[in-house]
Amino acid sequence: MTTMNDMTINTAISYDLPPAFSGRHLIDGEWVRSAETFERVSPSHGTVVSVSAQGGAAETEAAIVAARAAFDSGVWSRISGKDRAAVLLKVADLIEANVERIAIQETLETGKPISQARGEVGGAADLWRYAASLARSTHGDSHNTLGPDMLGVVVKEPIGVVSIITPWNFPFWILSQKLPFALAAGCTVVVKPSEVTPSSTVMMGELLVEAGLPAGVCNIVLGYGRPVGSLMSTHGDVDMVTFTGSTAVGKLITEASAGTLKKVALELGGKNPQVIFPDADLENAADAVTFGVYFNVGQCCNSSSRIIVHEDIAEAFVARVVELSRKVKFGDPLDDSTQVGAIVTAEHNAKIDGYVQAAAKAGAKVELGGGALAVAGLGSQFYQPTVISNVTPDMPIAREEVFGPVLTVLTFKTFEEAVALTNDSDYGLSAGVWSNDIHTCLAFSRRAHAGTVWTNTWMDGYPELAFGGVKQSGQGREIGRYGFDEFLEVKSLVMRVGRDSRAPWVDDGAQ
Ligand code: NAD
């Protein structure tokens, strides 16, 4: 560990990297290669860490046909919730038995710290167990108040074939926010991981096969947005697309799916504020702000990329965040103690820097960082912890998703002003409020336009609690019972029971 520019940097450790992972498609229970392949170069280590089959229209078509046939056969969609739960629980156990192997590959492809990757992979098992509980406990309604000879039953049925399209920032975790819930509902699926991070999804496929999931129920196609993702969004045999990724691609998917009117669930970007009132526990708030902005190098839909802090405490609060920022351990993701790793691609590193330089040019003050970071032994695809004050709400850095370790500071005088700044955004994923006054916290929580509001904490999540956004942060919900319900259709069974005492509609003179 060294300190550079007053920051804490973990230099390269010595480590024997595993051989490059070889990724294949999983189609109708078979592992399939393609004539073409694509490579992933580790953002931190600069070496090829996976070589994957590159799917095209033919592989995607085959996967969708397999998912359709498996769904229609009833081999999964019509078996009992108990039997579906048994497979999901087995997958959860297998995930726990394979954490280290999956986490290392996840770290090498994403650049995230190994301790975090272990937490995400191991933690995903709980999502599978929760989904297993839903497989057995879901039910509809009965209506016994429709009259003496009528009974109504509303049943829930799996929606059908689901396309699952995932991003690169939390490949295994986001897959586990979708896949076990779709499977618990009885759906069959086609999954496309990001071309940047394909391998942990293939590893998941291996676990599904080992757990005994019938062939064709989960199909995986590796490749790019076009043609794989786009065909998954337009194909007539697909009933629903669930997508996590950028708002721009979310809009393309909505357009593409319109031709077949399939259901679309979207988890998109955010520009999430933490609002700090002067009566808050400022030490806890500063720690949570530091965590919120640097977690996953800020490449996180839930990044608290802007703080809105009361002007009376702004200077001292920012000084404390800067002080804490210098102590966060940036550097080699394979070092157990590293907290913040590499930036996903060189182009993205340049994009982050573009926002920072433009803000500085427009009059913002760079309190800390503000440039790419070279880590001894690993190269320069890292970015410094960066704090920027004197930001005005109209600057792109205050409005757009920077997706880097960059905190922007806005200030407020009144409660109303804090609410207005919070809601002055195209996004509405999450927001946070810090105050020791429960009335302030509740009033803020009710007024914030966001899918999640955290009070005196940041980014806590539970499988039981729905997650998703409003405005351009998405539509639909994920996880929790609400997220599970997205994969279900509702059907009403309307039944006349007992002797039919109605007068006939046609008077044929018989009575
Ligand atoms: P991205 O939109 O570039 O790609 C996401 C996926 O879409 C990839 O698998 C990609 O191959 C695929 N894709 C690209 N073009 C497509 C097309 N035309 N049709 C179908 N699929 C296509 O996103 P990314 O860069 O991988 O991830 C970062 C983004 O994801 C950020 O905006 C972030 O906020 C968002 N995100 C949101 C959440 C959430 O839950 N709200 C969680 C994580 C990430």
Side-chain angles (χ1 to χ4, degrees):
M1 193 170 82
T2 62
T3 53
M4 193 182 96
N5 299 334
D6 289 338
M7 295 161 199
T8 308
I9 315 291
N10 280 349
T11 51
I13 61 166
S14 134
Y15 192 94
D16 287 333
L17 298 184
F21 182 80
S22 174
R24 290 170 295 168
H25 317 292
L26 177 60
I27 301 175
D28 206 12
E30 302 291 329
W31 293 103
V32 177
R33 293 185 197 282
S34 292
E36 285 186 78
T37 57
F38 62 100
E39 293 180 342
R40 173 63 173 155
V41 173
S42 166
S44 48
H45 289 73
T47 53
V48 174
V49 288
S50 63
V51 180
S52 305
Q54 184 177 325
E59 291 87 344
T60 314
E61 177 75 31
I64 293 171
V65 166
R68 181 82 260 163
F71 185 83
D72 293 345
S73 76
V75 66
W76 184 253
S77 55
R78 293 198 290 274
I79 66 172
S80 69
K82 178 183 169 189
D83 288 347
R84 287 203 284 263
V87 174
L88 301 189
L89 291 172
K90 232 180 255 177
V91 175
D93 292 345
L94 288 170
I95 289 172
E96 281 174 344
N98 284 276
V99 168
E100 198 58 20
R101 187 172 85 99
I102 302 172
I104 286 172
Q105 190 65 27
E106 193 91 322
T107 284
L108 291 174
E109 286 188 356
T110 61
K112 70 177 64 199
I114 185 68
S115 59
Q116 185 191 321
R118 285 184 190 121
E120 285 165 20
V121 174
D126 194 37
L127 291 166
W128 285 79
R129 293 202 174 102
Y130 176 68
S133 77
L134 293 174
R136 298 193 69 168
S137 58
T138 189
H139 56 80
D141 314 309
S142 63
H143 293 259
N144 198 28
T145 54
L146 306 177
D149 55 355
M150 294 301 292
L151 181 66
V153 178
V154 179
V155 296
K156 294 183 179 176
E157 298 183 334
I159 198 165
V161 175
V162 178
S163 288
I164 296 180
I165 303 175
T166 56
W168 48 259
N169 55 352
F170 297 94
F172 197 81
W173 179 262
I174 287 174
L175 178 62
S176 296
Q177 290 202 148
K178 297 176 186 289
L179 180 56
F181 294 84
L183 294 178
C187 297
T188 61
V189 303
V190 178
V191 182
K192 191 199 95 60
S194 166
E195 59 276 19
V196 176
T197 53
S199 302
S200 62
T201 299
V202 177
M203 291 173 169
M204 174 75 86
E206 292 168 359
L207 304 186
L208 297 177
V209 171
E210 195 178 339
L213 190 73
V217 173
C218 177
N219 305 276
I220 298 169
V221 184
L222 310 177
Y224 291 85
R226 290 198 171 94
V228 180
S230 50
L231 189 52
M232 287 166 68
S233 313
T234 50
H235 200 289
D237 278 341
V238 171
D239 300 291
M240 173 179 175
V241 184
T242 171
F243 168 81
T244 298
S246 61
T247 295
V249 174
K251 288 177 184 175
L252 289 178
I253 287 177
T254 302
E255 274 173 41
S257 63
T260 48
L261 281 184
K262 51 178 91 313
K263 179 172 179 176
V264 178
L266 302 172
E267 298 293 337
L268 309 174
K271 190 72 190 174
N272 315 296
Q274 295 205 53
V275 176
I276 299 109
F277 287 88
D279 67 338
D281 180 330
L282 296 176
E283 200 46 36
N284 282 345
D287 185 67
V289 163
T290 309
F291 161 68
V293 69
Y294 301 128
F295 176 68
N296 218 48
V297 219
Q299 300 174 134
C300 177
C301 55
N302 264 330
S303 167
S304 63
S305 51
R306 54 184 182 132
I307 57 169
I308 301 171
V309 54
H310 193 278
E311 62 177 22
D312 288 354
I313 55 163
E315 202 181 321
F317 188 79
V318 171
R320 182 65 182 139
V321 171
V322 167
E323 196 179 344
L324 292 176
S325 301
R326 291 197 166 107
K327 295 182 180 155
V328 179
K329 297 184 183 91
F330 278 58
D332 188 344
L334 288 171
D335 183 330
D336 278 346
S337 73
T338 295
Q339 293 171 285
V340 182
I343 300 291
V344 69
T345 58
E347 299 73 46
H348 189 55
N349 219 16
K351 186 177 163 201
I352 295 167
D353 199 47
Y355 276 108
V356 172
Q357 302 317 326
K361 220 171 165 187
K365 181 176 172 208
V366 180
E367 304 267 359
L368 178 73
L373 175 67
V375 174
L378 291 180
S380 58
Q381 209 168 294
F382 294 80
Y383 203 84
Q384 299 172 13
T386 297
V387 178
I388 305 197
S389 63
N390 277 357
V391 171
T392 53
D394 56 309
M395 290 179 184
I397 205 166
R399 308 198 70 79
E400 295 171 20
E401 198 181 34
V402 175
F403 234 51
V406 178
L407 180 68
T408 56
V409 182
L410 297 159
T411 58
F412 73 93
K413 288 191 186 67
T414 65
F415 177 86
E416 288 300 326
E417 219 182 319
V419 170
L421 282 168
T422 295
N423 293 339
D424 178 22
S425 173
D426 291 337
Y427 295 109
L429 190 60
S430 54
V433 56
W434 289 86
S435 166
N436 275 332
D437 183 337
I438 187 69
H439 301 290
T440 303
C441 294
L442 280 175
F444 177 87
S445 301
R446 293 173 72 173
R447 296 275 301 278
H449 298 159
T452 299
V453 181
W454 282 292
T455 296
N456 294 326
T457 186
W458 187 257
M459 229 188 297
D460 291 312
Y462 299 89
E464 290 85 348
L465 301 185
F467 178 68
V470 301
K471 300 198 273 187
Q472 292 191 33
S473 286
Q475 60 193 30
R477 288 293 176 269
E478 211 150 85
I479 65 176
R481 188 165 281 281
Y482 290 99
F484 175 61
D485 278 349
E486 300 278 349
F487 296 108
L488 295 166
E489 277 289 10
V490 167
K491 181 188 274 180
S492 293
L493 310 181
V494 186
M495 296 173 273
R496 188 167 291 282
V497 294
R499 288 171 69 93
D500 191 345
S501 57
R502 275 183 318 176
W505 188 59
V506 178
D507 182 2
D508 68 354
Q511 287 169 8

